[in-house]
Amino acid sequence: MKSVPIVAIMNNWPKFLPYPASWAKGFALSIGFWLIIWVLLPRYYYYYYRFNTAYWRSISNSDFEGAIVFAWLCQIPLFAFYHWGLSKFAEWVEIRRHSHSPPTATVSAWLHWREGIIAFATLPAAIVMGIPAIALFMVPMGNSSGEIVALILGSAIASTYLYHFRFAKLIKILVKFLGILYSYLLKILEILFVPILTGTPFFLLTIVTAEMVPIKLLPLTTFLLVVCVFWSGIVGYAVWHHWSAHLLNWAATWWPADSPGYSHIQARKSWKHNQTAASQSFVRHTTSWHLAANDATYLIYFNLIAIVFGAIGYRLFGEPSEWLKAEEQILGYIVALVWVVLWHFWGSRREVDIARGQPSVKTSAKRRSSNTNLSDPDPVEVELNQLAAELGNTRMRPVRKSTSPPQKRSSPTKKPKPEQAQWYVFRSGKAEGPYTKKQLQDVQKITDRTKVRLGEAEWQRAGEIPELATYLTHK
């Protein structure tokens, strides 16, 4: 009887049925959580499951919330330990099968702890989604031991399907979106608070000298105060950008290569703003001053938007002193949302272009358009002008455009750029690479079940990536 290859079995696996690895993770997550609660609160589960006064009193008297939180937090080190143990076991199996020394490169600690964080984020959704299954298993159960089994089975099934449909990837997308929104809000707060901090000495000086200034000079002193606060804010922005460049360059020297954010930090280090910060002083660092001017321009937009929405609120709700708390909050949320949108579509893009040292897109587009619209001059007019110059005539004939269509210049054929090796393969509990797509087929002989990734992206099955379809090895 011939043994069926594992690859063929996995290829024919039903799409709606989770893989064995997902079942193992789901049951490990559910068993670890509910057993910790069962050990911490035995009185709760040994009590007969019925809705009466004594039952609710036993729950209220016990530290039920503390036990849940403790059991929830325990899943992070537990699943990190599980992942570490499985990677060591896979490494041991690989050594026994091929009889070679253990690999020098080991799985990074971040990959172990990432599994714990994924389990921590998956557990609440699994319990909520597993309520129907828990209730179904509760029906035939009549004692406390049966109830804990029902809780384990219901949440295990739900967490298994969450692992199967990559619930962690959805959480990562949401966290990334919230992180971008949070960073935008921090940037807006920075733009607002820097002028306040740098302008505080001028405010204090104005308060001290207010009684000495005549009333007729009050408009002039107010104008000087605004100008001083504005320019001090620009200096504060420049100091902030120059200091942040040094801070990021320092972080790039020790940031672990396998940790999240490593590729982003290294990319930021290669920007012109960060490269020139180490060799130029604060006064001569032009990109910091350009970034400060960008922030100051955006600060002006802030004030204009606030004035416009203040006028709209005055027309809708009357005097500001008469506004209700709900009206103030709604108007504030709208202003903050407009600020974030404006920074997303204008401010942040302009800031990145300045920090990278890229030229303005509009200027380069205008230069390209002005050069492409020029047509070749008429050769007859050019010959007549040259002849007139040789005869001593200083009056030239105007060169008119040629009536014949311009000929296309033959451009030399460009050689295709060689593909960069940026694909990694997960083998024997570690990442191997980088490889090109051709090397994935010739060297690694990947199949549709092989785990690969592009750069610092998430690990995926090679069969799920369309661009690798022609490079798969079919066994």
Side-chain angles (χ1 to χ4, degrees), residues 34-323:
W34 291 112
L35 285 184
I36 291 175
I37 295 180
W38 181 69
V39 171
L40 294 177
L41 298 175
R43 179 179 56 178
Y44 169 65
Y45 286 109
Y46 284 134
Y47 198 86
Y48 185 71
Y49 191 83
R50 65 175 182 266
F51 298 100
N52 53 19
T53 307
Y55 172 75
W56 291 111
R57 188 181 297 114
S58 66
I59 296 178
S60 61
N61 293 334
S62 61
D63 192 8
F64 188 62
E65 294 82 2
I68 289 178
V69 172
F70 178 77
W72 187 24
L73 291 173
C74 283
Q75 303 311 309
I76 298 178
L78 278 177
F79 268 76
F81 175 75
Y82 296 158
H83 191 265
W84 174 82
L86 288 174
S87 63
K88 291 296 181 182
F89 177 75
E91 184 179 312
W92 176 79
V93 171
E94 192 72 15
I95 294 172
R96 292 291 298 271
R97 286 180 59 188
H98 300 284
S99 300
H100 56 72
S101 59
T104 56
T106 57
V107 181
S108 64
W110 159 245
L111 295 178
H112 302 320
W113 289 105
R114 187 181 67 174
E115 288 295 325
I117 295 173
I118 291 174
F120 180 81
T122 305
L123 183 59
I127 294 176
V128 173
M129 295 180 63
I131 290 177
I134 293 172
L136 182 63
F137 287 118
M138 280 286 188
V139 173
M141 303 299 178
N143 52 17
S144 59
S145 300
E147 291 159 9
I148 188 66
V149 172
L151 291 170
I152 291 175
L153 290 177
S155 56
I157 293 173
S159 57
T160 298
Y161 275 92
L162 287 176
Y163 272 109
H164 179 64
F165 291 109
R166 298 184 179 180
F167 177 70
K169 192 172 184 180
L170 176 61
I171 294 178
K172 182 179 179 180
I173 295 173
L174 294 176
V175 170
K176 187 176 181 180
F177 171 76
L178 294 176
I180 293 174
L181 180 62
Y182 182 68
S183 64
Y184 283 0
L185 292 175
L186 287 180
K187 180 63 182 182
I188 291 171
L189 291 176
E190 171 207 326
I191 294 176
L192 290 174
F193 282 122
V194 166
I196 296 176
L197 295 176
T198 57
T200 300
F202 299 101
F203 285 111
L204 296 176
L205 181 63
T206 304
I207 294 173
V208 172
T209 60
E211 298 180 356
M212 305 177 186
V213 178
I215 300 178
K216 294 181 179 180
L217 296 178
L218 185 61
L220 178 61
T221 54
T222 305
F223 173 75
L224 293 176
L225 173 64
V226 173
V227 171
C228 292
V229 170
F230 181 76
W231 284 109
S232 64
I234 294 179
V235 175
Y237 292 143
V239 172
W240 172 261
H241 286 293
H242 192 263
W243 175 80
S244 63
H246 284 284
L247 180 63
L248 190 137
N249 291 338
W250 170 76
T253 58
W254 59 266
W255 199 271
D258 296 325
S259 301
Y262 175 79
S263 58
H264 178 70
I265 290 179
Q266 297 301 325
R268 287 286 301 272
K269 185 182 178 182
S270 63
W271 288 1
K272 178 184 176 182
H273 175 61
N274 297 83
Q275 289 181 342
T276 55
S279 59
Q280 295 180 359
S281 62
F282 160 68
V283 178
R284 296 178 179 273
H285 198 213
T286 56
T287 56
S288 293
W289 290 102
H290 290 165
L291 291 171
N294 182 64
D295 291 342
T297 305
Y298 198 62
L299 180 63
I300 295 174
Y301 290 162
F302 274 171
N303 289 283
L304 293 177
I305 291 173
I307 291 172
V308 170
F309 277 95
I312 294 174
Y314 177 76
R315 296 287 297 177
L316 293 176
F317 310 124
E319 292 287 342
S321 59
E322 300 175 356
W323 293 358

Side-chain angles (χ1 to χ4, degrees), residues 422-439:
Q422 51 187 350
W423 291 91
Y424 293 85
V425 180
F426 189 78
R427 289 278 172 82
S428 304
K430 63 184 182 66
E432 298 181 359
Y435 301 102
T436 62
K437 288 184 284 190
K438 185 63 176 173
Q439 290 173 341

Side-chain angles (χ1 to χ4, degrees), residues 365-384:
K366 287 181 180 179
R367 290 177 180 175
R368 288 196 300 268
S369 61
S370 61
N371 293 331
T372 53
N373 291 334
L374 293 177
S375 58
D376 296 333
D378 192 344
V380 177
E381 301 294 343
V382 174
E383 292 289 341
L384 292 175

